[in-house]
Amino acid sequence: MEYHKKYKKRFSLLLGLNALHKEYFDGLSLDSFQIMTTLYFSDEGRVPRKALQDLLKIKGSQLTRHTQTLIKAGIVYYEASPSDGRGKVLCLTTLGMNLRKLFLKIL
């Protein structure tokens, strides 16, 4: 009986995740999720754009494409780098932090 309760709860969470996926993640790739994950585990949910590009070993154009998708979904945003006015820092929104926590709970 306990076995069924455990999986009923997990199934319920997966149904909720499916609804969230349709609302927020439709069209997001694994690379986009990797960007979100990297931001989540960074200090204060923010990483300089160039550092993120180097860390993930992707081209600048790829990073731009994925971050634009995440920005449109309301998951991340850019702010000016405090140490370099020309640089940008990619940051998770509150929604991005909450969605990432939900994924970790389900997995």
Side-chain angles (χ1 to χ4, degrees):
M1 187 67 167
E2 196 64 34
Y3 174 82
H4 293 295
K5 287 181 183 179
K6 176 183 172 184
Y7 284 96
K8 185 176 180 180
K9 181 179 179 183
R10 184 171 285 175
F11 182 71
S12 164
L13 287 170
L14 287 173
L15 287 176
L17 180 61
N18 187 46
L20 281 173
H21 179 271
K22 287 180 181 177
E23 187 171 348
Y24 296 106
F25 295 105
D26 194 30
L28 292 187
S29 66
L30 183 59
D31 288 333
S32 296
F33 184 73
Q34 190 174 21
I35 291 168
M36 192 171 81
T37 303
T38 303
L39 290 171
Y40 182 80
F41 286 110
S42 68
D43 294 337
E44 301 176 17
R46 59 191 59 212
V47 175
R49 186 184 190 290
K50 180 65 175 144
L52 190 61
Q53 181 182 338
D54 293 344
L55 180 66
L56 299 177
K57 297 182 181 2
I58 59 176
K59 296 178 182 177
S61 59
Q62 291 173 304
L63 182 61
T64 298
R65 184 176 69 248
H66 294 303
T67 55
Q68 289 306 315
T69 303
L70 290 166
I71 289 168
K72 286 179 186 173
I75 297 169
V76 301
Y77 66 96
Y78 276 120
E79 64 181 34
S81 173
S83 61
D84 175 13
R86 296 174 297 158
K88 292 182 179 179
V89 177
L90 192 62
C91 310
L92 278 176
T93 63
T94 302
L95 173 64
M97 292 291 269
N98 291 337
L99 291 173
R100 178 68 184 130
K101 287 176 187 175
L102 179 62
F103 270 121
L104 290 175
K105 183 177 180 180
I106 291 171
L107 299 176

